[in-house]
Amino acid sequence: SAVISQKPSRDICQRGTSLTIQCQVDSQVTMMFWYRQQPGQSLTLIATANQGSEATYESGFVIDKFPISRPNLTFSTLTVSNMSPEDSSIYLCSVEGTSGGAYKQYFGPGTRLTVL
Amino acid sequence: SQQGEEDPQALSIQEGENATMNCSYKTSINNLQWYRQNSGRGLVHLILIRSNEREKHSGRLRVTLDTSKKSSSLLITASRAADTASYFCATALSAQKLVFGQGTRLTINP
């Protein structure tokens, strides 16, 4: 299993500013995923980040709003740009793993973001 | 839109009782997975059931899968206070990509 850490664990930000969230994994992984979990809601995939290539964004998410970096096989960042109160959410990164040949995901502890 | 729908949205039971949560989905899947989330923290993988399996056990957890009805259930037996959490089903539509249900908030009362 993979151990994942995220920084910061929480933050309170002002409208119009940007926040960069870091995700560190204790082993090399090919794919990393970024999710958003709005208050009281389920997880929604923002994008998939592969090392050495541009992230693949899901419908409704764009690179200008959520730029992602993936400089190596153990690290990724997600930036939430020009924030508004609607961006208040928990942001989680995850990595793939396998169990009996089937894929599952290991999650970081999340970053709780509040935008005022 | 979300692939999975779970019911109930919230469940409150007494410690020691069994808790059953249900998940329905819309499209064909490779496998279905259940995750637990404590107090808005990261998710923990609980159990995975493949599309060709009907039932799977892991400790106090029992998962069933009915592909004809596109539904799954998670049973937690002999519940404990530490089981208080949100539980999400997630369907694997393809390798690596998971789609999560809305979740069930489970509260175990001492």
Side-chain angles (χ1 to χ4, degrees), chain A residues 10-103:
Chain A
R10 58 177 62 223
D11 208 341
I12 300 173
C13 300
Q14 295 298 319
R15 181 196 298 261
T17 63
S18 298
L19 176 71
T20 295
I21 302 167
Q22 300 178 7
C23 179
Q24 179 76 52
V25 190
D26 68 342
S27 58
Q28 294 185 341
V29 293
T30 303
M31 300 178 75
M32 297 179 75
F33 306 90
W34 286 99
Y35 289 86
R36 180 178 72 183
Q37 186 178 25
Q38 294 176 302
Q41 301 297 313
S42 184
L43 281 73
T44 301
L45 181 64
I46 298 172
T48 303
N50 289 335
Q51 192 270 334
S53 63
E54 282 198 6
T56 302
Y57 289 83
E58 296 298 309
S59 176
F61 297 97
V62 295
I63 188 171
D64 289 347
K65 176 67 176 178
F66 297 101
I68 289 171
S69 77
R70 184 78 202 275
N72 57 51
L73 292 173
T74 63
F75 187 79
S76 178
T77 68
L78 169 76
T79 298
V80 186
S81 302
N82 189 24
M83 290 183 285
S84 67
E86 291 72 33
D87 294 320
S88 296
S89 297
I90 298 172
Y91 292 86
L92 300 110
C93 69
S94 72
V95 302
E96 60 177 351
T98 57
S99 173
Y103 284 99

Side-chain angles (χ1 to χ4, degrees), chain B residues 38 70 77 79 82 91 97:
Chain B
N38 291 84
K70 292 186 168 57
T77 60
S79 62
T91 49
K97 184 166 183 175

